[in-house]
Amino acid sequence: MKLTTLLLFAVIMQVSAGTYAQKISLSVKDAKLLTIFDQISDQTGYSFVVTNSILQHAATVSIRVKDADLKAVLDQIFKNQPLEFSVDHKTVLVKKKEPSFVEDLIARFQAVDLRGSVVDENNLPLAGVNVVLKPQNKVVATTNGEGHFNISIPESGATLVFTFVGMETQEVVVKANSKFINVKMISKSILANDVVITGYNKTSKKMMAGSYAVLDSTVFANKPFPNVDDLLKGQVAGVVVSAQSGQPGTAQKIRIRGTNTLSGDAEPLWVIDGVPLQDNVPNIPSSSEIKAGSLDNVFLTGVAGINPNDIESITILKDASAAAIYGSRAAGGVIVVTTKRGKPGKMRLNYSSLFSSSTSPQRDAGLMNASEKIAYEQGLWDEFSAPNFELSKKDPGIKFPVIGITGLIRAGRGKYAGMTAAQQDAELAKYAQSNENGYDLLFRNSFSNTQHLSLSGGADKYTYYTSFGYTNNAGLLKNNDYNRYNFKTNLDINPVEAVKIKIGIDYYSVKSKAPALGSVDPFKYAYFVNPYESVYNSDGSYRADETYYSLNRANDPTSPIIRNLVPDVGFNIMREMNETSSISKKNQTLLSTGLDLKITKQITFESLFSYKYTNNSVNEIYGANTKAAFDNRLSLDVDTRKQYASINQTDNSSSEYMGRAQFSYKDYFGQNNAFTAYAGSEMRGSNTKGFYSKRFGYDPITGNTNTPLPAPTDNKLIDYDVLQSYLAAIDRASGDLFGEDKFISFYAATEYGIQDKYIFNLSVRADGSSYFGSDKQFNPTWSAGFGWHIAQEHFMESLKPTINRLTLRLATGYTGNISKAVTPQLVLGYSNDVRNINGNTYRIGDVLGAPNPLLRWEKTYDVKGSLDFGFFNDRITGLFEAYYRKSDDLVTKAQTLSTTGFIDQRYNTASLENKGLEFTLGGKPILTKDFKLNLSLNFAYNLNKVTRFNAPYASMSLSNTWKGYPLSPVFSGMYTGIDPETGLYQYQLRPDAVINTSTDLNKSDNYRYYLGTAIAPYTGGFNIGASYKAFTLNIGGAYSWGAKSFEYIVPPVSYDKAKRGTLNESPQIYQNDLYAQYLNVRRNAADRWTSTNTSGTYPRVWDAFGQKYDFGYYNPMDSEITRGAFLKDLSYLRIRSIILGYSLPAKMLKKVSLSTVGFSLSLNNFFTFTNYDGMDPETPGATYPISRSVSFGVNVGF
Amino acid sequence: MLVSNFIKMKNLKIGLLWCLLVFVCSCKQYLDVKPKGNVIPETPEQYGILLQNQLNGIDKGTDEVVIGNPESVILREFFSDNLDAALSNTVNSGAPVYVGFKVNSIQNEYAEAFKKIKDYNIIISDMKDRDSELAKKILGTAYAMRGVNYFNLMLRFCQPYEQNKAESTLGLPLVDEFNMEAKPARANLRATVDFIAKSFTDALSYNVTDKDYLFTANVVKAYMAKTYFWAQDWDNAIKYADEVLKAYPMTAADQYVAMINAKLMPTENVIIRSYTVDSRDGAFVLTSAKIDMLTRPASKELVGTFAEKGNDIRYANVFDKKRFNTKNLTASVKSEEMCLILAEAYAHKGDNIQALNYLNSLRARRITKDYVAYTELNLPNVYPQLITVDATGKPLTKLMSAILCERRKELYMEGDRWFELKRNGRPEFWVPFEGRKYTTQKFLYTYPIYKKDVDLNPGLIIQNEGY
């Protein structure tokens, strides 16, 4: 600490080393010592060495001298100071005065010992209140955690001044003989209270008419979830955060007050310390060599790089009034993150560490085990295969279905040829014993840890905050690992009163490693793999999976092979997991600097400039023997059996800048009036460059590639045509990536508060983007708001003890959105290919899409009303909000005459509306010195409805947006059970269905019902916090009610992949398909409908190539209707975390010179209440589920 | 000292204000970003990429619309009476039993053609440069290809041309500029022919000779001959067919086998052809068309037209003993067609001498043994076949019958017969399949207009009769 101060001073003083005079002239009044030192140093060239801490006790000095000696001046300055000085060469060394014994004695006699306690309006102790002795203007004490202070003052009758941020300053005259004083601090004018940082402005809660929520660092610090977005879950009414996958590091989907666009980006805008995040990941063109989507977007976008421990607060701007200042990108709401900055005072060092252990998901998929599956297969064999199998012995032309290992063995396929029945039974018995659970194979219990070290502190003229963070989050999936390193420094320099400089350096590195499985989805594999497929041979080598890819070979052995699905060594999931890898890395450096100049007392010039450099890279390696490598061969080799490794690399870096300059005016005047206004402009731009490259025949040891050549002809020649197409394929395997965009904005806003009672907000903004044509480049948006602090009115005076706060807010405004799916101009895109003809080469290209010269920004109109209240001194608080948002000019596809050359075009055609209610309740039922209990609950209802939309295609399968219904509606058949006659799923006929012929019974239109929405309309969260002395308990949870979804986990095998012959009876749903039973099924399949088990709970199974039943004539067969049987209610209530904390008592810590030591133990995602029967209602289906974990954390402060 | 630094900062502030002012002024310039890889076209080279893309498709045999490819050729053969549907060994989507099976998909050819036409119109209406050498080549090609596409559309989506009804017969929506808001209705058939002819005349004014652009002046003239021939403007048909025939000599008998089997290198009688550059996609199209081709033998009636049997070089080389095709499947325009146009146009004009002249000049190149030139006296009787009236509705004369039979033989497996049936009276015929009768009714010769267009603006685009 001292070292830092010295260093900084050395720098400041160094500036003054120039010519100097011996005589000093000074004229200052009540100046700080530092200021005087500065002036002396300027005049004489003498340097001062001084530490900040001792200056804290120095009094201000008034001095007037002309051409005086240095010594004389210093003597005068140090006269009444608790300091002394010595001069050595050209350095003045300042140190604390050591009191002489006599002086000490006198002081002790004279001094009055005084103790006291400071409380706030709620009679709660207030820590950190400065106690200043008035005549010396010197801080003599600061209240401790219990609000106590303890001082010795020279005499009674002195005046003590108590100061605290946000509170009115209190002056107390110490009466004679008083030993203890009680001080109550009162909050300042309500308009100046509770700071809200909006990114452009620092305002107060009471001055805002918009809807916002502020979350402080306690929500984010030392939590067992490493990502910020995850931590927002359930915290704020109307902010719905949903996991897309349980994979560590994946960005969460966030919707603030519903979705406002059909084709644009509905995610909120993240703003970190005033800098908006603008990720610009270029798309990699897909070609026959490069598969689309190989760039792992999951880790490259979003806010994965922010360390939650560095967050001071997050402000969520929910409505137009709050967010309109962000203009065109604010339609999805704005999340403003403010990171920690240093505070003056001695250096604080904080270290926290968190260890977590994740265990498997709490629910089970309910799949069959090996013996159950083999018994099930045997039943199918007996029913569907055995009769024809017997016939085929005589007539080899007769075909029969082969299902699973039982089918393969019974039919004597491959190595099972020629077995006797007894041998077959023995073989099957062996398989029945090898019980391999797909999930156990792929999943693991993983350990994760998070380390965070921060240093902060500062002095009068500067403060700093530096932190280092490390997070390792091992995924539930084997070989899946996520690492993050953070380094952050925030420096505030305040060289003179009028100038503030902010410097921020933020670096992070994220690395994610996972197997590169390509076409094999590990979760689908885990779900469908047959339980008897063991992974290793007895010698430990990889055992080829006999069933996962063998459906076609087993059922249609005589047909020519169209294309091999697996390499010659066979498919083994563990080989895929171990010998392929995908490593995504993101490194980002953000430098930001801000300069605020106070021009007059009211007017400030504020500026912010940031530069961000980001590098993303993805390395995917497919080991030589894997299926992934087999699928990733050169397109020329797909019909061969060649096998070689390959590597797919992408690297792109982008630089982004943002510059902003604004003038702000801020004034408090009259009786509790406040006026602030600011206006400015902002420009942003980004530039991305990169490359992608795929190389074949890769050797991971040397990094070299040995590209496999096409096979030569007999005389060792390669056909020119072959060579040409070979070169073309190599050319397609690599290329450049680039992108650039720019934005310019102008904005202005004002807030006006009158007599603490009425507030008016107004904001306007115009955004221009490089994305639009010159005519429609700018999009003006505006908002207006009004607030009425009813509790401040005179007529509420009598109710004040009960209702301490009551505020009505009304606001309206516009926000915008860009749909990047269309351009106003005609844009041509060059193709990756060229035309070669007669020795000439021509570029080729195509029109990118139908241009729309009338294209406009999407606009969202927003109106809301809210009532904010606090009872009994905020012991009970609440916020009730209602809003209506109408989004117009949404870009959707509209059909055009094909004579235009396009069959459809994107137009600003659609409208949708969001209506919602939000309710937040908080209470502090118990608030005593030792025991505190905090409760909070939030609830939100949001339902949207498409009010104008012309479907370009009147087909359910092509579009799922319908006028009069919410976004993501669920239309399907209403499932009524299994027909005991046929074993088919039955669906409710619509009451308006007209049935004239039996085939009317198969029409989808006669069954389709609106069954709900896939987006939960009711969401919320709750939090219970309790503390008893040094113990704290925190229980947080989230709930979601009313979402519906089809759990339609379609097997990778089906009759059409079996390709056996003439199709006689297609299945109604995949469960009917005999060939879908080739892989694993849920246990209830054993209870399938048969003519002898007509009460079965699983529908009838049949062979699509077998007997013809003509079910399709009088039953709905379209999956659009039949999937109604798989409709699940995804409502759930989840206790996300239960955190028990304990802090060591201060007494104990004194001995070891630590300020705080805390421990925490948390249980994460342990309890979920739901009727959903799959693995996880938050991430339904066969995907990466959310895991349970236990965490232990330690937090030490020095 | 420190203070002076901050005075400097005040200057900085003023500087920032200046910057701000400059930004405001140059906003548009600042926002004017042109992403690489994408371009708002300005130069002819940039506009040209649209054409090169289409030409590339023709080179590589993937284009189905402009010149066509083996699949589009074999499909029309399946519709026609050249193959015997009753003897099909498989009926699938690639080998429909009759045109009615494809009503849903052939309407897409309408939208597909307009997708191509849009590219030409973008060039024609937006490209500023009209004088440079490159611009002229591009414009000439764009006009030529627009004409070809409209010609193709007319053959498929309009009723056959009848002189006295041309103005009351529905033609096509005539789109001559790129405009997303335009909603043209269908013009009449005569206006459509004029529009096509105008496109070709415009194309000729640029006199494209660069072979890289495929649609050179001679190719345009060949298509003009075809257009006038379809529109029964015999004089103009003769004029252009004659010019082209002189430029592209017909294949002699000893070159015939090489000609019909030419894989990628077109022979000198070929005016334009697709699939001249090897490509995976082109090879795939050819392979699958060949698989379909071998599902159905030639009809007995077709085989019967080869009166000279083995003396006709074609008889031994276009199908095998089981009547399955052995000719390479290509989509092309050949000089032999020009010769046949000349023969038929003269016949319609009543100039039987010239008609016989041209007919014999082709026959002499195909009959290798015992060749006897046709005269008005030795013409064979009218061949009994589906076509009983000629393009103008008159009963077939011996001469006309001989010309149509010659055409059927020469252009067998080139996708011509289907349009011949349409041009000459649209005879109805049926084929049996799975115990049912599938009749190619008169209206089925004219494909349905793209249904979504008809539905989009009720009353604007009138659907063809029968659909």
Side-chain angles (χ1 to χ4, degrees), chain A residues 906-964:
Chain A
R906 287 178 191 270
Y907 251 103
N908 296 89
T909 55
S911 301
L912 67 89
E913 57 182 29
N914 277 279
K915 284 179 199 165
L917 292 175
E918 287 168 9
F919 205 61
T920 307
L921 258 185
K924 297 168 190 162
I926 302 170
L927 191 62
T928 63
K929 188 166 164 277
D930 286 339
F931 188 43
K932 295 187 183 75
L933 181 64
N934 274 306
L935 302 170
S936 74
L937 171 74
N938 69 70
F939 164 82
Y941 164 77
N942 171 285
L943 194 63
N944 56 22
K945 192 166 100 176
V946 178
T947 50
R948 194 155 62 90
F949 181 74
N950 294 317
Y953 307 104
S955 160
M956 283 279 165
S957 54
L958 290 176
S959 161
N960 199 22
T961 305
W962 299 95
K963 191 181 159 184

Side-chain angles (χ1 to χ4, degrees), chain A residues 632-644:
Chain A
N632 273 289
R633 294 171 300 167
L634 272 162
S635 59
L636 286 86
D637 286 335
V638 291
D639 293 326
T640 69
R641 302 207 56 85
K642 273 195 205 170
Q643 178 79 21
Y644 46 85

Side-chain angles (χ1 to χ4, degrees), chain A residues 211-328:
Chain A
S211 298
Y212 61 87
V214 181
L215 298 169
D216 64 17
S217 58
T218 56
V219 177
F220 305 103
N222 305 321
K223 286 293 156 72
F225 304 99
N227 289 322
V228 182
D229 43 5
D230 203 9
L231 287 166
L232 291 177
K233 212 171 274 180
Q235 295 287 350
V236 179
V239 178
V240 182
V241 183
S242 38
Q244 301 303 292
S245 147
Q247 192 173 1
T250 36
Q252 314 257 331
K253 182 173 130 184
I254 304 179
R255 291 290 176 272
I256 298 177
R257 292 192 169 172
T259 301
N260 294 304
T261 179
L262 293 171
S263 60
D265 183 5
E267 288 292 320
L269 172 70
W270 286 83
V271 179
I272 320 292
D273 286 332
V275 181
L277 280 188
Q278 41 177 355
D279 279 299
N280 204 358
V281 182
N283 290 325
I284 295 177
S286 111
S287 72
S288 47
E289 309 306 323
I290 306 267
K291 309 280 179 297
S294 47
L295 185 66
D296 203 340
N297 270 330
V298 166
F299 304 99
L300 304 180
T301 55
V303 288
I306 305 172
N307 191 324
N309 280 315
D310 287 335
I311 293 175
E312 177 70 37
S313 72
I314 280 188
T315 307
I316 298 174
L317 307 175
K318 298 199 274 189
D319 70 344
S321 180
I325 197 67
Y326 285 95
S328 56

